[in-house]
Amino acid sequence: MAGFVACNNDNNSAPGQSTVKIHLTDAPADYSEVNVDVQAITLMPSDSTEGTTEIDLGAHAGVYNLLDLTNGLDTLLANKNIPSGKYSQIRVKLGTDNTLVVNGNTYSIKVPSGSSSGLKLQLNADFVEGVTYNILLDFDAARSIVALGNGGFNLKPVIRVSTDATSGSIKGSVTPTNTEGVVFAISPSMDTLSTYLDTVSGSFMFRGVPADIYRVEIDPSTTSGLSNKEVSNVKVVNGQETDLGTIDLTAQ
């Protein structure tokens, strides 16, 4: 059992939470540099009113050269556990240190709107408890730079948002509910996750589980007098919760 526990890959999201990771990438553009000043990233729940209940994702604030993030490259802007549920918008708040380098010249580029309240990007996502999601912000630098008549430039961000669930979850419960013990989820490659039974409710949950077919083993404590139980062919799908229901443990 000690060996299995050492292989625990379960993520750290608490009950009722999902994990969200924000990545930034870009399509190629005919400039030397396009530097954007990212200050904050927030999520807006679907059931909230305008300007309230935003969730700050704790973005890594800084200036990012979009042209360093082309050809499949990206950078992680934020990684946070949030309450599970439906979210309507993601908001990207930019600072004032945005610059464009072209033909050896550096230009300060202004954002006409979006600096104060943030660039409002439609998300319309439903985050399931215990699941990890990657949100990709594909910043189209070529279409975002607007040339002005005076020879300067503005930044009018064109960003495509995509959401990819990179894991699922497994939950269930046992009777008797006051059972102490460990639950294992074992993939065909023997990658093993582990968690403990809740001694009050008898419940268990694996969060951030990669999609695969698992064998779930319930090992009650040796002092419980209960036999081990195995559930085979437990299918985990990205973005979904696999509920095993209530599992009856029997006496040895």
Side-chain angles (χ1 to χ4, degrees):
M1 184 179 293
F4 279 135
V5 174
C7 297
N8 185 1
N9 292 320
D10 202 4
N11 76 6
N12 296 318
S13 62
Q17 291 191 331
S18 307
T19 301
V20 172
K21 299 180 179 181
I22 308 295
H23 300 261
L24 178 66
T25 191
D26 177 42
D30 193 21
Y31 304 110
S32 298
E33 296 179 20
V34 179
N35 301 300
V36 294
D37 182 10
V38 178
Q39 290 298 305
I41 300 176
T42 61
L43 285 179
M44 179 64 71
S46 296
D47 60 356
S48 62
T49 58
E50 184 70 16
T52 63
T53 327
E54 285 185 89
I55 296 178
D56 189 342
L57 297 182
H60 305 303
V63 177
Y64 295 85
N65 179 11
L66 296 177
L67 301 189
D68 287 338
L69 305 173
T70 60
N71 297 322
L73 299 177
D74 65 66
T75 189
L76 182 65
L77 293 180
N79 180 2
K80 190 169 184 178
N81 295 332
I82 64 170
S84 303
K86 296 181 179 180
Y87 292 84
S88 59
Q89 290 182 347
I90 183 169
R91 296 184 178 182
V92 180
K93 298 180 181 180
L94 300 181
T96 58
D97 193 13
N98 306 291
T99 58
L100 172 70
V101 179
V102 56
N103 296 327
N105 298 313
T106 300
Y107 301 87
S108 178
I109 48 179
K110 296 181 180 180
V111 183
S113 62
S115 295
S116 57
S117 62
L119 305 168
K120 300 175 183 179
L121 309 173
Q122 295 304 309
L123 182 63
N124 297 321
D126 189 355
F127 296 135
V128 175
E129 178 184 4
V131 173
T132 299
Y133 295 87
N134 282 331
I135 298 178
L136 184 65
L137 304 181
D138 190 349
F139 205 125
D140 192 332
R143 296 173 59 196
S144 299
I145 301 298
V146 178
L148 303 176
N150 60 6
F153 299 88
N154 272 354
L155 178 64
K156 189 176 181 180
V158 177
I159 304 174
R160 183 175 65 89
V161 181
S162 59
T163 303
D164 179 26
T166 60
S167 70
S169 62
I170 303 172
K171 77 172 186 178
S173 62
V174 301
T175 57
T177 58
N178 60 347
T179 301
E180 294 182 351
V182 182
V183 186
F184 301 101
I186 307 170
S187 73
S189 63
M190 298 303 291
D191 183 19
T192 303
L193 310 177
S194 66
T195 191
Y196 292 100
L197 291 170
D198 186 295
T199 55
V200 175
S201 64
S203 63
F204 62 88
M205 186 170 193
F206 295 98
R207 301 176 174 85
V209 182
D212 210 330
I213 304 295
Y214 290 82
R215 182 176 79 254
V216 173
E217 294 184 0
I218 301 169
D219 290 0
S221 68
T222 55
T223 59
S224 69
L226 299 171
S227 297
N228 294 359
K229 190 86 171 191
E230 179 179 306
V231 181
S232 302
N233 299 316
V234 177
K235 185 177 182 180
V236 175
V237 178
N238 287 341
Q240 296 184 19
E241 179 184 80
T242 301
D243 189 349
L244 301 183
T246 302
I247 301 168
D248 296 322
L249 302 181
T250 57
Q252 293 179 348

